[in-house]
């Protein structure tokens, strides 16, 4: 996503982005649609029969203290936490990307369509024009309907990048309701900000880091400095280095990082 936006911004073009979130995506997977999708992907019949047999026998019970409810048959959704979950959902949701590619709308780099970026149930749609973005959103809505899924309107927003990012933009519509244009959007724990080029918010990372350090200090009274240092290194450094490859780190940022570490150790 970073590379696509930079590619268009360097050539004087805006990039318009829609961040769509699927409502309880894993819980709403239609079993019959999942079987059809696996068949289209030429999954071996033996494996497919195992999946069908497994999911046709899924049941749950509700426990209240020591009392148990009657057995309820699970007819939708896939088992979360299982090793097969990512693969099954990827195959199921692959239709989003395929439908966008078939319609050939949105951003293109070297004759390659890069309009749809999806990680689990978080979908990013990119277009170099407002009209193109609306077409991709409409395609995604139709695809979600085919898959028996629905987008969360409250968690779906738009943002733009480029030399004309301050210009007023026509509203995008999701289920005939206007989507809000924001100055920043959070994606996979990273805050992306609207600007003349893609910008990522380091301040949020700093706040999380200091919050983690303060929490350790408050709960480690009386412990030795060596123990505190080990806790900071084990927990706080992970917060500071999370998704570091997404950031264009400069010498200024390096100095700021060293300062943060020194403050935490002091």
């Amino acid at each position: 996503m970073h590379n696509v936006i930079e590619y268009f911004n360097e050539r004087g073009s805006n990039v318009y982005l829609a961040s769509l979130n699927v409502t309880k995506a894993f819980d709403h997977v239609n079993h019959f649609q999942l079987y059809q999708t696996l068949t289209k992907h030429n999954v071996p019949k033996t494996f497919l029969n195992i999946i069908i047999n497994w999911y046709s026998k899924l049941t749950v019970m509700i426990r209240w203290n020591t009392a148990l409810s009657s057995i309820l048959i699970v007819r939708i959704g896939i088992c979360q936490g299982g090793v097969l979950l990512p693969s099954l959902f990827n195959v199921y949701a692959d239709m989003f990307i395929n439908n966008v590619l078939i319609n050939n709308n949105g951003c293109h780099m070297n004759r390659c369509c890069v309009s749809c970026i999806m990680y689990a149930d978080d979908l990013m749609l990119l277009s170099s024009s407002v009209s193109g973005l609306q077409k991709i959103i409409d395609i995604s809505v139709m695809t979600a309907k085919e898959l028996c899924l629905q987008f969360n309107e409250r968690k779906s927003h738009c943002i733009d990048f480029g030399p004309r990012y301050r210009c007023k933009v026509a509203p995008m519509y999701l289920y005939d309701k206007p989507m809000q244009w924001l100055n920043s959007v959070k994606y996979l724990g990273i805050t992306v900000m609207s600007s003349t080029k893609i910008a990522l918010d380091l301040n949020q990372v700093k706040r999380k880091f200091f919050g983690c350090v303060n929490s350790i200090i408050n709960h480690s009274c009386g412990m030795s400095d060596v123990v505190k240092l080990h806790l900071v290194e084990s927990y706080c450094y992970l917060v500071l280095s999370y998704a570091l490859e997404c950031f264009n780190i400069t010498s200024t940022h390096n100095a700021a990082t060293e300062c943060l570490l020194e403050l935490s150790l002091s």
Side-chain angles (χ1 to χ4, degrees):
M1 185 182 72
H2 202 153
N3 292 338
V4 173
I5 295 173
E6 278 190 343
Y7 178 86
F8 279 85
N9 290 164
E10 288 173 358
R11 287 157 179 77
S13 175
N14 267 29
V15 173
Y16 303 94
L17 184 149
S19 174
L20 305 182
N21 180 269
V22 183
T23 303
K24 296 189 178 297
F26 304 115
D27 296 332
H28 288 168
V29 171
N30 183 282
H31 289 174
F32 181 72
Q33 183 69 46
L34 175 62
Y35 305 150
Q36 281 190 323
T37 307
L38 290 172
T39 303
K40 290 178 182 177
H41 282 74
N42 298 319
V43 171
K45 288 185 178 180
T46 305
F47 178 76
L48 183 59
N49 288 334
I50 293 173
I51 296 295
I52 294 173
N53 182 57
W54 177 24
Y55 274 86
S56 63
K57 296 178 180 178
L58 289 180
T59 57
V60 294
M61 298 176 69
I62 299 172
R63 183 175 66 182
W64 180 266
N65 293 330
T66 57
L68 293 174
S69 71
S70 57
I71 296 175
L72 304 173
I73 300 174
V74 179
R75 302 188 185 278
I76 61 171
I78 51 181
C79 299
Q80 297 189 43
V83 293
L84 271 178
L85 169 66
S87 299
L88 290 177
F89 187 78
N90 283 347
V91 173
Y92 186 76
D94 194 44
M95 193 183 295
F96 281 109
I97 299 174
N98 289 336
N99 287 353
V100 172
L101 293 178
I102 290 171
N103 285 270
N104 207 30
N105 285 303
C107 292
H108 291 75
M109 287 176 61
N110 300 323
R111 299 182 181 180
C112 178
C113 183
V114 283
S115 307
C116 183
I117 298 173
M118 192 171 189
Y119 187 92
D121 57 344
D122 290 314
L123 180 65
M124 284 287 192
L125 304 175
L126 300 95
S127 176
S128 56
S129 67
V130 177
S131 59
L133 182 62
Q134 184 62 66
K135 289 179 181 178
I136 300 174
I137 293 174
D138 293 339
I139 292 168
S140 299
V141 170
M142 292 174 61
T143 305
K145 188 176 181 180
E146 290 179 35
L147 294 174
C148 302
L149 299 175
Q150 188 171 7
F151 292 114
N152 189 331
E153 299 171 20
R154 294 183 179 180
K155 294 184 179 180
S156 298
H157 308 288
C158 294
I159 188 173
D160 61 334
F161 310 90
R164 297 177 298 279
Y165 81 99
R166 292 184 182 274
C167 297
K168 189 176 181 180
V169 186
M172 299 290 99
Y173 289 91
L174 182 68
Y175 301 117
D176 296 326
K177 294 181 180 179
M179 296 175 64
Q180 190 177 5
W181 286 91
L182 301 180
N183 294 323
S184 63
V185 169
K186 194 172 183 180
Y187 182 63
L188 302 180
I190 300 297
T191 302
V192 184
M193 298 183 296
S194 177
S195 183
T196 53
K197 58 182 180 179
I198 186 169
L200 305 175
D201 188 7
L202 276 169
N203 293 322
Q204 188 178 26
V205 177
K206 294 176 185 177
R207 288 192 295 269
K208 285 185 178 180
F209 174 76
F210 280 123
C212 187
V213 171
N214 290 333
S215 178
I216 288 175
I217 292 174
N218 290 334
H219 290 85
S220 59
C221 296
M223 295 183 181
S224 66
D225 292 338
V226 175
V227 173
K228 292 180 182 179
L229 179 63
H230 179 71
L231 291 173
V232 169
E233 183 181 3
S234 300
Y235 296 98
C236 302
Y237 180 74
L238 297 176
V239 175
L240 199 61
S241 60
Y242 174 74
L244 200 62
E245 63 275 9
C246 297
F247 296 91
N248 184 17
I249 301 298
T250 63
S251 57
T252 304
H253 291 146
N254 284 331
T257 304
E258 292 176 3
C259 180
L260 287 174
L261 291 172
E262 289 176 4
L263 287 171
S264 65
L265 295 179
S266 63

